[in-house]
Amino acid sequence: MVLEKLSSSLNSALRKLLRMPTIDEKAIKELVKDLQRALLQADVKVDLVFELSKNIQKRALSKELPPGITRREHVIKTVYNELVTVLGEKTEVIRVKPGQTTIIMAIGIQGSGKTTSCAKLAYFHKKKGFKTALVCGDTYRPAAFDQLSQLAASINVPIYGDPSEKDAIKLVNRGVEQFTEEKYEVIIVDTAGRHKDETFLIEEMKAIERAIHPHDIVLVIDGTLGQQAYIQAEAFKEATDIGSILVTKLDGSARGGGALSAVAATGAPIKFIGTGEKIEDLEKFNGPRFVGRLLGMGDLTSLLEKLKEAEITPSKKEAKVFLSGKFTLLDFREQIKKMGKIGPLSKIFSFLPGVANIPEELKSMSEEKIKRWEHILDSMRTEELINTKLLKRSRVVRVARGSGSEVKEVRELLQQYNMLRKLMKGMRGRRRMKGLPMMPGGLPDLPLDT
Ligand SMILES: Nc1nc2c(ncn2[C@@H]2O[C@H](COP(=O)(O)OP(=O)(O)OP(=O)(O)O)[C@@H](O)[C@H]2O)c(=O)[nH]1
Ligand SMILES: [Mg+2]
């Protein structure tokens, strides 16, 4: 499991929050403290942790919730969003065009996992159906060619190398040339990890870059470095425009979260992560999905879908119209049209207190029915939509005929609309009685924990 420790502490922090009886300032503070502890233990930079805590605290306690979601959901979404911001929202990939040659070169300091990652990348692209080859550009370590040869054999990918050649640039050039002529679609070049520091690393990278013009240079960074990974990633990002990053050893490393966040902070794109010693232990890196998994929210996707839908529920102005009792069929039609896009009516009304009173037929209307109602409402004249009293029998018959429905259906729609309107008026009355303000400018303040 990737970043197991961080994942389990983040998850238990969230679960603790979900168990709290109310989500108030104290609960959020407690959550933030737990998150800080988890992130600092994963070697995430202190500044970053504080920035994240500040944002979570501010947003989680914001007065206004997006309509239709509970405070708990909102807090989880906030934590999720902030972590995604830290790790990157964009998913970047190495682009390979079928029928053309893409040269990928791996660089990185000694022992970072280059050779293993080259084989993993070869396997990854081969599995996608690309004609893939490996070039061993490590003339420094005696066993380098053997190591890559063995890995290449295990995945049945051809390899170019020559242990007697000492000039890495010449060697790599020949390998790339040969495989290009043979119409390989992906050529992956492994290089030596003899560099003591970033300066040497970048210098050699530039020399090979000039010789073989790779399409993508992958900096392989050891995930156990934690926040130290920043320095390498930063120097690399400065030096090349075509670089991407592969962070290795995220399985079992307690500092992996620190490494990922540090790399992301430089703006260099993390395209892959190494999650084990085996050849298949490579994953495309996707920030949002990674965070979802990290938080251990199996149902986060569905939660987010719900959240997304809630974001397109009626505006405050529309909500005010509902609650004012001046809710006409014209408004109703507008809502019905929106419903087609966002699903059951319960979503639309779920932001209203007392939603339990909404008739079940209305809440669980099928899409088909919504469409029929839309047709019926479209067949009415504006004056009828504004004043339903005009809809005497003859007009109802006309509307039914015009919309291809039955008189019964038109009546049912009018009945439901009247019921809803009464309900809205009733709610207004109750609120006054309880002394709740009728929110001149917007929705009433919902209780903190809804
Ligand atoms: N657990 C784990 N081990 C890894 C991962 N990637 C690489 N390793 C291990 O890290 C060690 C070094 O890997 P190499 O691929 O030889 O590293 P390198 O950068 O090519 O090393 P040099 O060529 O000597 O610079 C090996 O024991 C690999 O099995 C990973 O994602 N997870
Ligand atoms: Mg190597």
Side-chain angles (χ1 to χ4, degrees), residues 67 309-310 312-323 326-352 362 365 370-371 373-374 377-378 385 413 417 420 424:
E309 281 170 9
I312 46 169
T313 42
S315 66
K316 272 198 245 166
K317 205 172 122 216
E318 289 167 317
K320 214 171 106 183
V321 173
F322 272 121
L323 288 171
K326 286 188 206 123
F327 172 57
T328 67
L329 255 193
L330 202 62
D331 302 315
F332 190 56
R333 184 175 72 173
E334 212 171 292
Q335 294 310 323
I336 291 277
K337 283 193 190 293
K338 274 191 185 167
M339 268 159 66
K341 291 181 206 108
I342 66 167
L345 194 57
S346 54
K347 291 267 157 61
I348 291 188
F349 294 112
S350 57
F351 63 95
L352 293 171
L362 263 182
M365 246 168 72
I370 293 172
K371 269 270 153 285
W373 278 21
E374 217 183 299
L377 290 163
D378 281 340
L385 289 167
L413 183 153
Y417 158 71
L420 198 60
M424 298 298 165

Side-chain angles (χ1 to χ4, degrees), residues 114-115 138 141 144 147 190-191 193:
K114 289 177 298 298
T115 305
D138 185 352
R141 204 155 57 82
Q147 186 195 3
D190 185 20
T191 60

Side-chain angles (χ1 to χ4, degrees), residues 110-116 120 141 147 193 249 251 274 276-277:
Q110 199 157 30
S112 55
K114 289 177 298 298
T115 305
T116 315
K120 286 178 178 179
R141 204 155 57 82
Q147 186 195 3
K249 308 181 196 177
D251 52 307
E277 291 189 71

